């Protein structure tokens, strides 16, 4: 059942739209299956670091910011390589990459050592200003710098930097400044992010801020992954929202969530918005093991909804929400899908094939082959 909540400022009304077991029960995995990843697709960017969640340095309209030639800058989470790839989450930092006709080039950590307030950095988004020099990074600071053991409190931060001219190592950002926590959980809607157990699949969320500027109104939003404070279920993922309160995007007001998966799924990760053909599309990634096992479960994949306005109500794409899924024969081959305004979809290669003799599992830890979406109203499919 949908419910409507007032905006704290009284300007807007938000419909909290449910993603339910009835929607997931309508899934047909084969209709959304991605091609199988092969050895030829696994091209590591670096021999010394693992790479996962990625996003572009973008213009306000969401497109990757064009630099000289065909080059664009990207950010991704990265860590040193570990025998158990799950260890990477406790060591994650945001790294910078250059993408051009020659492929991907690793440029090192985006932020200087000691700048972030967390013990590790989790996903976000980055916007290059109209001056083509000022970067605004929205990101998740997890834990506390210097803590003896990893904790799981997540805070959403903003920071600025300046782009300096390209040199032999490619463009880099300098003069990092303005580190600010943007907003905190409103307990009316959002559970504390350190309320979970800390084990994989049970961590609660207040993370993954993704910037979106509405082309129809100019209003700026941040979507983020959260956990529903109103649900008694341990499976209580949701998509949260904040609204910019000033033209410089330095002040933000947290809003009610726009989508809840209470009673269905624990993590609606990296939610993000795009605008196409007069409609708004909301996408997120999730994994089969974070669905409530007592109900229908969907495959690990990209899911989404469509609406006539950001505030909702939202309806699941394809009737179920499923847009793209890992194939049944490789159910964990990829993850963390991001849809760009031109409907290109990027992700990373996860557990893509049978493990080699010297590794517990075959973790790709690099960028996956891109695919293209076709959107038509409330339907979404992979372009053949």
């Amino acid at each position: 059942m949908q419910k409507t909540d007032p905006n704290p400022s009284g300007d807007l009304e938000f419909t909290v739209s449910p993603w339910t077991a009835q929607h997931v029960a309508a899934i047909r995995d084969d209709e959304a299956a991605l091609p199988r990843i092969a050895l030829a697709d696994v091209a590591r960017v670096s021999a010394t670091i693992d790479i996962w969640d990625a996003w572009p340095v973008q213009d306000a309209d969401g497109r990757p910011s064009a630099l000289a030639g065909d080059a664009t800058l990207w950010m991704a989470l990265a860590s040193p390589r570990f025998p158990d790839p799950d260890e990477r989450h406790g060591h994650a930092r945001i790294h910078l990459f250059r993408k051009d006709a020659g492929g991907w080039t690793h440029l090192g950590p985006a932020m200087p050592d000691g700048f972030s307030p967390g013990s590790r950095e989790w996903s976000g988004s980055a916007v290059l200003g109209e001056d083509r020099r000022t970067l605004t990074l929205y990101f998740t600071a997890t834990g506390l710098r210097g803590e003896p053991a990893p904790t799981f409190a997540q805070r959403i931060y903003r920071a600025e930097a300046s782009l300096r001219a390209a040199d032999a190592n490619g463009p880099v950002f300098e003069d990092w400044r303005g580190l600010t926590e943007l907003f905190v959980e409103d307990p009316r809607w959002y559970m504390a992010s350190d309320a979970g157990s800390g084990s994989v699949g049970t961590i609660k969320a207040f993370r993954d801020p993704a910037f979106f500027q509405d082309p129809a109104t100019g209003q700026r939003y941040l979507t983020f992954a959260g956990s529903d404070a109103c649900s008694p279920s341990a499976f209580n993922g949701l998509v949260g929202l904040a609204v910019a309160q000033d033209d410089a995007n330095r002040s933000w007001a947290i809003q009610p969530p726009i989508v809840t998966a209470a009673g269905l799924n624990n993590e609606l990760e990296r939610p993000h918005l795009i605008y196409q053909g007069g409609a708004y599309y909301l996408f997120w990634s999730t994994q089969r093991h974070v669905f409530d096992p007592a109900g229908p479960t969907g495959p690990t994949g990209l899911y989404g909804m469509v609406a006539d306005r950001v505030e909702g109500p939202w309806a699941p794409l394809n009737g179920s929400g499923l847009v793209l899924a890992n194939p049944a024969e490789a159910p964990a081959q990829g993850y963390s899908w991001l849809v760009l305004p031109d409907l290109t979809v990027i992700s990373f290669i996860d557990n893509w094939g049978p493990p080699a003799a010297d590794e517990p599992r075959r973790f790709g830890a690099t960028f996956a082959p891109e695919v293209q979406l076709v959107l038509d109203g409330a339907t979404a499919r992979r372009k053949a």
Side-chain angles (χ1 to χ4, degrees):
M1 180 177 181
Q2 295 175 339
K3 64 178 181 178
T4 301
D5 282 297
N7 175 290
S9 68
D11 297 329
L12 300 170
E13 286 192 346
F14 293 78
T15 300
V16 186
S17 301
W19 185 40
T20 69
Q22 288 72 29
H23 297 136
V24 173
I27 286 176
R28 288 187 56 190
D29 299 18
D30 57 329
E31 293 182 346
L34 287 159
R36 181 75 182 266
I37 288 175
L39 179 60
D41 298 318
V42 187
R44 290 188 65 95
V45 177
S46 168
T48 60
I49 63 168
D50 285 346
I51 297 164
W52 59 108
D53 301 3
W55 60 93
V57 173
Q58 65 176 70
D59 293 337
D61 64 6
R63 294 178 298 177
S65 300
L67 302 177
D70 64 348
T72 53
L73 287 176
W74 288 72
M75 294 182 178
L77 299 189
S79 80
R81 300 187 70 182
F82 294 98
D84 179 358
D86 283 343
E87 288 189 43
R88 73 189 190 276
H89 298 296
H91 301 267
R93 291 193 64 184
I94 298 170
H95 282 230
L96 189 64
F97 301 83
R98 178 186 175 98
K99 183 184 181 186
D100 57 26
W104 295 91
T105 303
H106 179 219
L107 303 176
M111 291 181 281
D113 291 346
F115 181 77
S116 171
S119 62
R120 57 257 199 235
E121 300 155 9
W122 287 357
S123 296
S125 57
V127 183
L128 196 63
E130 293 182 0
D131 63 1
R132 315 305 297 162
R133 187 168 185 269
T134 301
L135 175 85
T136 302
L137 173 63
Y138 305 96
F139 71 100
T140 310
T142 303
L144 296 172
R145 187 192 307 158
E147 62 188 2
T151 58
F152 292 90
Q154 300 145 50
R155 295 164 292 157
I156 293 175
Y157 272 82
R158 176 191 190 277
E160 291 185 359
S162 298
L163 176 68
R164 66 178 172 86
D167 59 18
N169 296 316
V172 295
F173 292 100
E174 60 186 359
D175 185 26
W176 284 90
R177 59 196 182 270
L179 185 65
T180 306
E181 185 173 8
L182 291 183
F183 44 83
V184 299
E185 295 103 325
D186 187 318
R188 290 179 292 173
W189 309 308
Y190 300 101
M191 176 180 285
S193 58
D194 58 357
S197 71
S199 61
V200 174
T202 69
I203 298 170
K204 296 308 172 184
F206 197 69
R207 61 180 182 263
D208 305 345
F211 179 89
F212 174 73
Q213 180 168 302
D214 188 339
T217 66
Q219 179 63 64
R220 284 93 59 218
Y221 300 92
L222 289 174
T223 52
F224 59 90
S227 299
D228 195 331
C230 302
S231 173
S233 174
F235 299 88
N236 61 344
L238 56 73
V239 177
L241 195 73
V243 177
Q245 302 295 290
D246 67 299
D247 291 340
N249 299 329
R250 289 190 172 92
S251 175
W252 293 79
I254 195 168
Q255 310 297 322
I258 52 176
V259 168
T260 180
L264 176 70
N265 184 290
N266 189 52
E267 293 178 337
L268 309 189
E269 297 196 285
R270 300 194 66 204
H272 55 284
L273 293 162
I274 67 168
Y275 180 82
Q276 283 282 326
Y280 298 87
Y281 292 88
L282 171 67
F283 296 99
W284 66 86
S285 297
T286 197
Q287 303 178 76
R288 188 180 291 276
H289 72 265
V290 298
F291 282 90
D292 183 347
T297 63
T300 297
L302 174 72
Y303 292 79
M305 289 189 171
V306 63
D308 293 328
R309 57 199 290 266
V310 171
E311 295 78 25
W314 291 87
L317 289 167
N318 303 323
S320 67
L322 182 63
V323 177
L324 299 173
N326 285 327
E329 63 271 22
Q333 72 170 15
Y335 194 57
S336 197
W337 292 269
L338 179 73
V339 183
L340 299 177
D342 68 355
L343 304 187
T344 298
V345 185
I346 66 158
S347 60
F348 77 92
I349 301 175
D350 200 345
N351 301 327
W352 65 276
D358 61 345
E359 55 187 356
R361 73 190 206 214
R362 185 158 283 184
F363 181 51
T366 191
F367 301 105
E370 296 177 354
V371 298
Q372 200 77 17
L373 283 187
V374 176
L375 298 177
D376 182 10
T379 64
R381 59 179 175 81
R382 179 172 60 90
K383 186 176 183 180

